[in-house]
Amino acid sequence: MNLAFEQGPIRPPSEAGSLLLRLTRNCPWNKCAFCRSYKGKTFSRRSLEEIKSDIDTVVEMCRLLQQRSIESGFGGEINRQLLTKVYHSGDYQLFHVAAWLINGGRTVFLQDANSLVMKNADVVDILNYLKKRLPSVERITTYARSSTLARLRVEDLITLKKAGLSRIHVGMESGSDTVLKFIEKGATARQHIEAGRRVKESGISLSEYIILGMGGKRWAQEHALETARVLNIINPNFIRIRTLTIVKGTTLAQKAQSGEFEAESEEEIIRGEKLLIEHLDGIQSNVVSDHSMNLLEEVQGKLPGGKSALLAVINRFLSLPEDEKQNFILGKRWGVYRVMNDMHDASQHARVSAAVAMLKKENKLEETISQLKDQVL
Ligand code: SF4
């Protein structure tokens, strides 16, 4: 029988190479209007024994992989050939651990949506156990909700940092109280600020996720300006950009259906991104666009010095002639382009142009773009 440990479904893209260790199951809030990650699933806490037993299983898997490496003539090294063998064995979790070891075995992500809802002393216990059993680990990160963080004292967070917690990922989504209320985020701008301030003060690295387009047409300007205002106060280490996709089965999809929420066009979303970035001031954050749903993945750089370069990318898109904008949007959503420079490939450009012309003739361009966007999820 294969060794196994429990894992949840979600991790940030930046944790692709991390070992996923589940502390709690699902989301204790589970009400955000745009989110379907844990819909229909009940939140529960895992016992310390269960979590420690999972860590022991990972240690055992590392030993097993080393043994297989020796038996395969690789001298104990966890290399790509061994990884391929494990992959073909169909043991997904052993493959996950082997891939993690190849990445250096240095990073761990604690799942699921709000690990710090656990008692602080219990998280510290887990962090200590994790580092003792897996000494190669250098970075440990987790998601946390602002409403939870705002209840922790800076001293609690410092204790977590000393025990090894390196980074906290927070879904801020918007800095506008109107938008936060509308999407039922369960956190106010003030709580986002308080939570962010405490994390920063503790010395733990902070990633804030914001969603372009989250204000819809109605609150587009307020969303951009208030989000910039809150980020300027927090000064997070990372501002991670996401773009709104209205997912079927969510409350937001119902609100969109009823007309209560009107989504912005791709260009309007980019205008909102421009407004947001123009108003980011006096902070030293890394702006990261690490999701393929973002139309302009090139919007990446470090503030304050990189601000003009970020805006230059956006202005480049906004100053394209209308047919070129449509070409890029369709090509991007179709997966033909990743970044604007990919439009320089003449044959791909011609291919997309032909598709744009055909879809416009059939009056299906907008509909097709939105269908392609949904498929990315
Ligand atoms: S807190 Fe996060 S995981 Fe939970 S419902 Fe909101 S977006 Fe989804």
Side-chain angles (χ1 to χ4, degrees):
M1 204 175 75
N2 290 341
L3 290 165
F5 61 102
E6 193 170 320
Q7 289 182 306
I10 311 287
R11 53 142 181 87
S14 56
E15 302 296 337
S18 298
L19 175 73
L20 306 181
L21 185 70
R22 197 173 209 185
L23 265 56
T24 61
R25 299 184 185 94
N26 311 312
C27 174
W29 176 248
N30 217 3
K31 289 182 193 166
C32 298
F34 60 89
C35 173
R36 70 165 179 197
S37 299
Y38 301 101
K39 280 284 168 278
K41 295 189 179 142
T42 309
F43 172 77
S44 64
R45 294 163 196 268
R46 302 187 70 216
S47 69
L48 290 181
E49 292 69 34
E50 282 176 302
I51 301 165
K52 286 182 181 177
S53 163
D54 279 356
I55 295 170
D56 293 340
T57 302
V58 174
V59 173
E60 181 56 19
M61 284 177 159
C62 294
R63 194 200 57 74
L64 184 68
L65 283 163
Q66 196 166 35
Q67 185 189 324
R68 290 212 185 151
S69 165
I70 292 167
E71 287 164 4
S72 305
F74 304 137
E77 188 199 352
I78 315 299
N79 56 23
R80 298 253 156 223
Q81 287 149 291
L82 184 71
L83 187 68
T84 308
K85 274 182 158 222
V86 177
Y87 176 77
H88 288 299
S89 76
D91 186 339
Y92 167 73
Q93 286 205 321
L94 196 61
F95 174 77
H96 172 70
V97 172
W100 174 66
L101 287 174
I102 284 182
N103 271 317
R106 287 191 287 270
T107 61
V108 176
F109 178 70
L110 308 176
Q111 297 176 307
D112 279 339
N114 191 22
S115 310
L116 300 189
V117 79
M118 281 175 73
K119 278 190 201 145
N120 221 52
D122 288 351
V123 182
V124 169
D125 191 1
I126 292 300
L127 291 168
N128 286 333
Y129 192 75
L130 178 61
K131 282 184 11 199
K132 185 171 132 208
R133 298 289 280 135
L134 294 164
S136 63
V137 172
E138 293 169 1
R139 190 186 82 189
I140 306 171
T141 67
T142 187
Y143 280 133
R145 300 188 65 236
S146 283
S147 53
T148 301
L149 290 168
R151 283 198 293 269
L152 292 175
R153 296 169 308 165
V154 175
E155 302 90 89
D156 297 329
L157 291 160
I158 290 173
T159 310
L160 291 172
K161 180 176 162 52
K162 283 185 180 155
L165 188 65
S166 331
R167 178 173 298 157
I168 298 178
H169 298 274
V170 176
M172 175 178 148
E173 334 299 7
S174 176
S176 151
D177 276 330
T178 314
V179 175
L180 290 168
K181 192 167 174 213
F182 182 78
I183 63 172
E184 294 179 69
K185 186 64 209 172
T188 60
R190 206 168 146 185
Q191 281 173 310
H192 279 323
I193 291 168
E194 193 50 40
R197 190 190 64 73
R198 291 181 193 196
V199 175
K200 283 296 304 280
E201 205 176 320
S202 74
I204 296 175
S205 171
L206 175 65
S207 279
E208 295 278 2
Y209 290 74
I210 53 117
I211 303 182
L212 302 179
M214 195 69 261
K217 286 188 194 285
R218 192 164 159 201
W219 299 301
Q221 190 172 358
E222 178 177 336
H223 172 55
L225 295 179
E226 284 297 286
T227 302
R229 181 184 74 82
V230 172
L231 288 169
N232 286 342
I233 298 172
I234 298 174
N235 187 15
N237 302 80
F238 295 90
I239 297 170
R240 296 188 187 270
I241 298 174
R242 297 288 175 270
T243 298
L244 178 66
T245 307
I246 301 177
V247 182
K248 284 192 191 91
T250 58
T251 315
L252 190 66
Q254 288 167 12
K255 288 178 191 252
Q257 184 79 27
S258 70
E260 214 183 322
F261 181 82
E262 200 182 346
E264 292 176 278
S265 69
E266 298 263 18
E267 184 171 342
E268 285 168 333
I269 287 175
I270 298 304
R271 290 194 185 280
E273 183 174 23
K274 182 178 175 185
L275 190 62
L276 166 75
I277 292 173
E278 277 172 345
H279 285 81
L280 291 177
D281 253 327
I283 57 176
Q284 292 81 43
S285 310
N286 284 291
V287 176
V288 184
S289 179
D290 55 349
H291 201 286
S292 60
M293 281 309 299
N294 296 333
L295 189 69
L296 302 178
E297 287 185 64
E298 309 95 304
V299 177
Q300 307 238 39
K302 174 113 168 72
L303 296 171
K307 184 168 168 175
S308 53
L310 298 176
L311 289 171
V313 173
I314 295 174
N315 287 331
R316 179 181 168 196
F317 169 78
L318 291 174
S319 59
L320 288 173
E322 198 51 36
D323 57 341
E324 286 298 281
K325 269 189 208 136
Q326 290 171 339
N327 184 295
F328 178 68
I329 293 168
L330 182 69
K332 169 75 178 170
R333 296 308 180 204
W334 196 2
V336 177
Y337 306 138
R338 176 102 194 250
V339 292
M340 276 186 285
N341 277 349
D342 294 341
M343 293 170 84
H344 293 153
D345 182 324
S347 69
Q348 298 289 42
H349 186 273
R351 187 173 150 225
V352 179
S353 282
V356 169
M358 190 192 75
L359 290 167
K360 277 170 91 172
K361 206 166 150 194
E362 294 173 2
N363 208 16
K364 282 188 176 165
L365 184 60
E366 293 304 316
E367 183 191 331
T368 306
I369 287 170
S370 115
Q371 282 168 356
L372 289 167
K373 221 172 154 187
D374 289 349
Q375 280 171 19
V376 177
L377 291 176

